[in-house]
């Protein structure tokens, strides 16, 4: 499996085709598949943002423990991401999927181009992007980036520049090095750090016996959520109860995932992502790391996937630093989750 650090997080290259897909927004052919009985809500397709590793543990629990079926779905098909033609945004506008997991930095450009999409929840309250460095020469403060050699993939240029802008750092003061996620460039001394996911980079280095440090973007001037549940406006307008049923099942799945990192890893490696040759021990460590991004004090208080008005505004401000001038009401609608938790407060973390 390719490391998570190789993810083209800003997969805006697929946005050019959105205009062609907008006309198909009303096509629900990929959304439902019959009704009646226990599966009265039919079958839906969930487009994952990446390949089937532990990052989607909550979805695995919701599927394997029957939460989706209990909510009324005959099936929720998990579509693997990470390849060409798997953009959540284009999938939603063409009807290839009913709901998808994406990120504000990807959905916002689509919305600004006219795609009628909304983010209705966020699995990761903190984006996993970080500058990964070695513990013996750590970069733990943005000012420490000055004079350093940092590996940055082209696909991460936008968010990298936003981090520099958020911290008042002149891009010319940092040497940006072309990077394709090879951690040996760090361990061999070719780099002082690289931009990658905190859930994978430091864990992989640790498994190699190398101690790593990290600077999390979300804690240093660029708070953004990730693995955001994204749907069309039409779904919100015409299938609100169906969407609430889906999110209810997801919450139950993610409560289980948070409580059991080892089982999360086992399902990823041995069942859902068995063709990826995943290492259970490594996936377990990644699950523990991502739990810190999923369960924040606000998530504990308000429920998984929720976003406070303050967090929404912080995301809008961060997007502005990335050159994406979008309004909160254009991009986010958290009212569906509010209704879910109001109807069943027991869904909140205990």
């Amino acid at each position: 499996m390719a490391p998570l650090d190789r993810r083209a997080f800003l997969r805006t290259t697929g946005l050019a085709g959105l205009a062609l897909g907008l006309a198909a927004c009303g096509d629900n052919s990929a959304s439902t598949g019959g009704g009646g009985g226990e599966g009265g809500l039919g079958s839906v397709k969930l487009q994952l943002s990446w390949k089937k590793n532990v990052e989607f543990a909550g979805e695995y629990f919701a599927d394997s423990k029957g939460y989706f079926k209990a909510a009324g779905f005959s099936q929720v098909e998990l579509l693997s991401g990470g390849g060409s033609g798997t953009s959540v945004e284009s999938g939603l506008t063409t009807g290839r999927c009913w709901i998808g997991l994406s990120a504000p930095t990807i959905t916002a450009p689509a919305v600004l181009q006219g795609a009628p999409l909304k983010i209705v929840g966020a699995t990761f309250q903190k984006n996993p992007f970080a500058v990964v460095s070695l513990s013996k020469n750590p970069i733990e403060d943005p000012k420490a980036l000055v004079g350093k050699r940092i590996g940055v993939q082209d696909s991460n240029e936008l968010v990298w520049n936003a981090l520099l802008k958020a911290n008042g750092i002149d891009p010319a003061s940092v040497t940006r090095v072309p990077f394709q996620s090879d951690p040996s460039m760090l361990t061999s001394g070719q780099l002082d750090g690289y931009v990658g996911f905190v859930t994978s980079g430091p864990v992989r280095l640790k498994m190699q016996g190398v101690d790593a440090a990290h600077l999390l973007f979300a804690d240093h001037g660029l708070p953004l959520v990730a693995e955001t549940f994204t749907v069309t406006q039409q779904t919100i307008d015409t299938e609100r109860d169906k969407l609430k049923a889906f999110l209810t099942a997801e919450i139950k799945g993610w409560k289980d995932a948070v409580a059991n990192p080892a089982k999360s890893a086992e399902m990823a490696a041995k069942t859902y992502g068995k063709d990826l040759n995943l290492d259970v021990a490594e996936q377990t460590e990644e699950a523990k790391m991502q739990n810190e991004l999923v369960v924040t004090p606000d998530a504990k208080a308000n429920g998984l996937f929720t976003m406070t008005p303050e967090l929404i505004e912080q995301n809008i401000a961060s997007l502005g630093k990335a050159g994406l001038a979008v309004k909160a009401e254009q991009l986010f609608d958290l009212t569906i989750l509010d209704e879910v938790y109001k109807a069943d407060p027991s869904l909140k973390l205990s």
Side-chain angles (χ1 to χ4, degrees):
M1 174 193 170
L4 273 176
D5 301 335
R6 295 181 63 181
R7 174 182 309 186
F9 186 74
L10 302 171
R11 291 185 296 269
T12 53
T13 53
L15 294 178
L18 278 174
L20 296 175
L22 293 179
C25 285
D27 179 7
N28 239 3
S29 58
S31 304
T32 60
E38 293 182 359
L41 295 178
S43 172
V44 298
K45 295 181 179 181
L46 165 62
Q47 177 66 63
L48 306 178
S49 64
W50 192 238
K51 299 174 184 179
K52 293 180 180 179
N53 58 24
V54 78
E55 193 168 346
F56 310 105
E59 283 69 42
Y60 306 154
F61 272 103
D63 178 51
S64 64
K65 295 192 74 171
Y67 297 145
F68 287 134
K69 287 192 176 180
F73 295 94
S74 58
Q75 180 189 21
V76 173
E77 184 178 353
L78 306 180
L79 304 178
S80 182
S84 60
T86 62
S87 162
V88 166
E89 287 70 20
S90 64
L92 288 168
T93 56
T94 58
R96 188 182 70 244
C97 61
W98 180 71
I99 190 166
L101 290 167
S102 190
T105 43
I106 306 172
T107 306
V111 169
L112 291 172
Q113 290 186 21
L117 305 175
K118 286 282 175 64
I119 291 170
V120 296
T123 309
F124 285 12
Q125 300 291 293
K126 291 184 175 183
N127 194 290
F129 263 123
V131 173
V132 179
S133 58
L134 299 179
S135 293
K136 63 183 181 181
N137 185 26
I139 299 173
E140 297 174 317
D141 181 271
K143 300 302 181 184
L145 290 167
V146 175
K148 299 294 195 301
R149 297 158 298 168
I150 306 298
V152 183
Q153 288 179 274
D154 289 343
S155 56
N156 297 333
E157 181 179 9
L158 188 150
V159 72
W160 164 248
N161 288 335
L163 175 73
L164 297 181
K165 183 176 181 179
N167 290 280
I169 297 173
D170 181 359
S173 69
V174 185
T175 301
R176 177 184 165 183
V177 180
F179 183 64
Q180 294 298 326
S181 78
D182 181 4
S184 69
M185 292 183 68
L186 177 64
T187 55
S188 66
Q190 298 176 65
L191 296 174
D192 296 302
Y194 69 85
V195 174
F197 272 17
V198 71
T199 49
S200 56
V203 171
R204 288 196 176 93
L205 288 170
K206 180 180 179 181
M207 300 298 284
Q208 297 171 19
V210 179
D211 290 331
H214 65 268
L215 183 158
L216 194 66
F217 285 25
D219 289 339
H220 293 89
L222 203 68
L224 285 165
V225 292
E227 297 304 353
T228 42
F229 292 99
T230 307
V231 298
T232 65
Q233 184 63 48
Q234 182 187 29
T235 293
I236 294 173
D237 294 341
T238 66
E239 298 182 295
R240 195 176 187 90
D241 287 343
K242 183 175 177 178
L243 183 55
K244 287 194 284 187
F246 179 87
L247 290 173
T248 297
E250 282 277 0
I251 291 167
K252 292 177 180 178
W254 270 101
K255 285 179 71 175
D256 287 352
V258 166
N260 199 336
K263 182 63 176 178
S264 296
E266 181 183 329
M267 285 197 295
K270 297 184 178 180
T271 304
Y272 292 89
K274 61 183 178 181
D275 59 330
L276 299 176
N277 296 317
L278 301 172
D279 181 79
V280 174
E282 181 178 302
Q283 291 289 291
T284 300
E285 292 304 310
E286 291 192 17
K288 292 176 182 178
M289 182 72 80
Q290 75 182 17
N291 278 354
E292 297 179 16
L293 308 179
V294 173
V295 183
T296 61
D298 284 336
K300 285 183 178 179
N302 304 315
L304 294 173
F305 312 156
T306 59
M307 294 178 66
T308 64
E310 292 77 16
L311 182 57
I312 290 175
E313 287 306 318
Q314 289 169 4
N315 272 254
I316 293 300
S318 294
L319 291 169
K321 293 168 186 173
L324 299 170
V326 65
K327 296 179 180 179
E329 58 269 24
Q330 288 179 280
L331 190 59
F332 295 103
D333 185 348
L334 276 295
T335 60
I336 299 94
L337 268 179
D338 290 342
E339 293 171 16
V340 167
Y341 281 111
K342 183 176 181 180
D344 187 358
S346 71
L347 289 170
K348 292 183 179 180
L349 293 167
S350 55

